[in-house]
């Protein structure tokens, strides 16, 4: 896509792109059965839903409890039903449960930061979690990633498969984050920021943030012979 | 029409959620067809292995069908690269798949690549080197004029005494030998 709503591969402000972006133009491949089909999640081969990230074995994680919820929709606003949504995030201190995370912030034994859900008939998903902390990364000196939750979404076909990040409103780190700013179009960029939703908040318990994912169309539906 | 949500990088810390070692073996619940391995290494523009990539495979069954009515073989696999940038899938060679306007597509597996440093995923296809005649007639391969670029999509087959055949498919993100990536 070249309309500025998707990031480029080559974006040197995010230094990891420098040696990892292809230099040759992509080859235009017409959509065939291979692209308009994709894995389905009707039987639970992918494992059970895991929508409560806020505790491990009943022990509460440290941090601000939040509810994050939304829908997966297609370009026409129709719900994308029964598709797998996987999420991961840093803990409240900005540290991932991951061997490669060397940030000197505390790990929380009661927070793994991974979840998954299959969307319901309205395309809805919902997670109870902990507000992730910002974390430093070595992209440039003293660079910090704004708080975010990573989202992986399948949709109905191989062509709709995508991974993105959800941000939080009012985060001052968004102003300078090159990953966020890799999206040229400001309106598209800002749609990655969730909205505080008092209706979603639970009294005396957790703050609510709402965010929807819009998937591209799957293309024409061919008949398999 | 609503604008599709923008992509962002998978980043380096996805393993707690996305790493599913069992999913590298598409045949783990059994399937009809010859069992094969697809293996390779992901390289960056310095030909340095990429140890933090995630690859997903989507393919038809031995009859060239994507409906996977069998229920055991789902045609979907996921693998993460190891410290040396290597990945593998165990699967079967799919059958030929219908293409546009009555054409037939050579057997192929669809591959997508996510990694730190990729702000959006890459897409490519793995064709099978011993299916030379079908590959010659494949519409997508035929549309690639540069033979060296076309060759990056074709995985050579190696027989292993006492083991299953291996198709080798390296993914070169940039530079010499750069894999042919697709806009779909
Ligand atoms: Fe992150």
């Amino acid at each position: 896509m070249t309309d500025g709503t998707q990031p480029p591969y080559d974006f040197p402000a995010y230094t990891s792109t420098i040696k990892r972006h292809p230099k040759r133009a992509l080859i235009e491949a017409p959509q065939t059965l291979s692209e308009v089909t994709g894995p389905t999640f009707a039987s639970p081969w992918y494992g059970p839903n895991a929508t409560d990230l806020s505790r491990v074995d009943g022990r509460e994680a440290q941090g601000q409890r939040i509810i994050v919820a939304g829908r997966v929709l297609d370009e026409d606003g129709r719900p994308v039903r029964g598709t797998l949504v996987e999420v991961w995030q840093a803990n409240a201190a900005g540290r991932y449960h991951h061997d490669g995370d060397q940030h000197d912030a505390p790990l929380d034994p009661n927070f793994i930061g991974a979840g998954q859900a299959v969307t319901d008939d309205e395309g809805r998903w919902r997670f109870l979690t902990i507000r992730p902390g910002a974390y430093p990364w070595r992209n440039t000196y003293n660079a910090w990633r704004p708080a975010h939750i990573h989202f992986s979404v399948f949709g109905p076909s191989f062509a709709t498969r995508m991974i993105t990040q959800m941000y939080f409103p009012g985060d001052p780190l968004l102003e300078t984050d090159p990953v966020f700013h890799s999206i040229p179009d400001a309106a598209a960029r800002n749609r990655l920021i969730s909205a505080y939703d008092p209706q979603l908040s639970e009294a005396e318990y957790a703050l609510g943030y709402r965010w929807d994912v819009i998937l591209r169309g799957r293309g024409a539906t061919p008949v398999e012979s | 029409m609503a604008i599709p949500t923008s992509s962002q990088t998978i980043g380096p810390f996805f393993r707690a959620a996305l790493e599913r070692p069992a999913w590298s073996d598409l045949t783990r619940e059994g399937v009809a067809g010859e069992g094969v391995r697809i293996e390779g290494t992901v390289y960056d523009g310095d030909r340095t292995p990429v140890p933090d990539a995630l690859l997903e495979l989507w393919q038809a069954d031995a009859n060239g069908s994507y409906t996977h009515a069998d229920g055991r073989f789902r045609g979907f696999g996921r693998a993460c690269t190891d410290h040396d940038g290597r990945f593998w899938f165990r699967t079967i060679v799919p059958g030929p798949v219908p293409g546009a306007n009555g054409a037939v597509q050579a057997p192929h597996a669809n591959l997508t690549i996510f990694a730190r440093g990729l702000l959006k995923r890459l897409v490519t296809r793995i064709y099978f080197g011993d299916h030379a005649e079908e590959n010659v007639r494949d519409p997508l391969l035929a549309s690639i004029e540069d033979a060296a670029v076309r060759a990056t999509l074709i995985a050579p087959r190696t027989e292993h005494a006492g083991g299953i055949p291996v198709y080798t498919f390296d993914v070169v993100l940039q530079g010499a030998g750069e894999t042919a990536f697709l806009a779909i």
Side-chain angles (χ1 to χ4, degrees):
Chain A
M1 235 164 272
T2 54
D3 62 359
T5 66
Q6 295 293 336
Y9 288 110
D10 181 11
F11 193 72
Y14 171 26
T15 57
S16 292
T17 69
I18 294 172
K19 292 294 183 185
R20 292 185 168 190
H21 72 271
K23 294 201 164 171
R24 206 189 308 111
L26 300 188
I27 294 163
E28 292 293 332
Q31 291 208 342
T32 71
L33 209 51
S34 298
E35 288 76 32
V36 303
T37 56
T40 56
F41 305 94
S43 74
W45 60 270
Y46 46 86
N49 276 4
T51 59
D52 183 358
L53 286 65
S54 74
R55 69 197 95 201
V56 170
D57 295 333
R59 294 185 302 272
E60 298 255 12
Q62 297 286 331
Q64 169 78 65
R65 238 184 258 117
I66 59 172
I67 293 160
V68 183
R71 301 171 78 193
V72 180
L73 302 166
D74 69 16
E75 288 172 275
D76 297 317
R78 292 175 301 213
V80 178
R81 305 183 171 98
T83 201
L84 181 64
V85 176
E86 295 165 288
V87 298
W88 66 102
Q89 62 166 92
N91 69 19
R95 176 91 184 256
Y96 281 89
H97 182 86
H98 188 288
D99 290 343
D101 188 353
Q102 300 299 312
H103 176 32
D104 182 21
L107 278 167
D108 181 345
N110 299 327
F111 190 80
I112 304 297
Q116 66 177 53
V118 167
T119 57
D120 71 8
D121 281 350
E122 299 301 319
R124 289 179 299 215
W125 51 268
R126 181 184 190 275
F127 295 100
L128 172 62
T129 184
I130 297 294
R131 186 181 171 110
Y135 60 84
W137 60 318
R138 296 188 175 125
N139 189 59
T140 51
Y141 176 72
N142 207 10
W144 293 71
R145 291 298 327 280
H148 60 276
I149 300 177
H150 296 265
F151 275 73
S152 162
V153 184
F154 280 82
S157 72
F158 183 72
T160 59
R161 178 82 178 95
M162 64 97 69
I163 287 179
T164 187
Q165 302 180 24
M166 185 205 90
Y167 300 96
F168 291 87
D171 190 333
L173 294 170
L174 286 168
E175 255 175 65
T176 51
D177 180 54
V179 176
F180 180 65
H181 283 274
S182 67
I183 303 156
D185 183 87
R189 205 157 63 218
N190 289 330
R191 281 192 292 272
L192 296 184
I193 304 172
S194 59
Y196 172 64
D197 183 353
Q199 306 299 320
L200 194 57
S201 295
E202 288 190 11
E204 319 297 327
Y205 190 65
L207 291 171
Y209 290 89
R210 189 167 292 283
W211 185 62
D212 290 337
V213 175
I214 315 293
L215 298 180
R216 58 179 287 196
R218 66 184 283 169
T221 307
V223 178
E224 189 170 352
S225 53
Chain B
M1 294 268 283
I3 305 290
T5 302
S6 307
S7 175
Q8 296 271 266
T9 181
I10 192 173
F13 300 132
F14 54 81
R15 287 182 194 261
L18 299 188
E19 187 168 40
R20 319 268 189 137
W23 294 9
S24 281
D25 184 356
L26 286 75
T27 68
R28 63 191 179 279
E29 292 176 43
V31 61
E34 182 193 27
V36 299
R37 244 174 102 92
I38 297 171
E39 57 183 43
T41 303
V42 181
Y43 295 103
D44 72 9
D46 288 333
R47 203 76 185 181
T48 300
V50 172
D52 51 5
L54 180 134
L55 300 93
E56 288 180 349
L57 197 73
W58 171 241
Q59 66 165 84
D61 66 16
N63 298 318
S65 168
Y66 280 104
T67 55
H68 300 304
D70 170 283
R72 296 174 303 164
F73 180 79
R74 296 181 193 85
F76 174 73
R78 176 186 283 174
C80 298
T81 52
D82 66 13
H83 287 295
D84 300 315
R86 292 180 305 206
F87 67 93
W88 63 269
F89 293 99
R90 185 171 173 150
T91 186
I92 55 165
V93 178
V97 173
N101 305 320
V104 175
Q105 305 189 74
H108 64 274
N110 308 285
L111 185 71
T112 191
I113 301 113
F114 297 94
R116 172 178 62 84
L118 287 177
L119 284 159
K120 52 189 175 184
R121 68 175 183 154
L122 288 166
V123 169
T124 187
R125 283 184 175 193
I126 301 169
Y127 287 88
F128 299 87
D130 54 324
H131 288 249
E133 285 180 26
E134 289 159 289
N135 290 342
V136 166
R137 292 193 296 268
D138 180 80
L140 177 68
L141 288 176
S143 76
I144 304 171
E145 283 176 27
D146 186 326
V149 174
R150 194 164 61 234
T152 66
L153 299 184
I154 301 173
R157 173 175 168 131
T158 316
E159 306 296 337
H160 289 266
I164 64 172
V166 172
Y167 290 93
T168 302
F169 190 87
D170 290 335
V171 176
V172 180
L173 298 179
Q174 183 187 88
E178 183 176 305
T179 301
F181 297 111
L182 309 177
I184 64 168

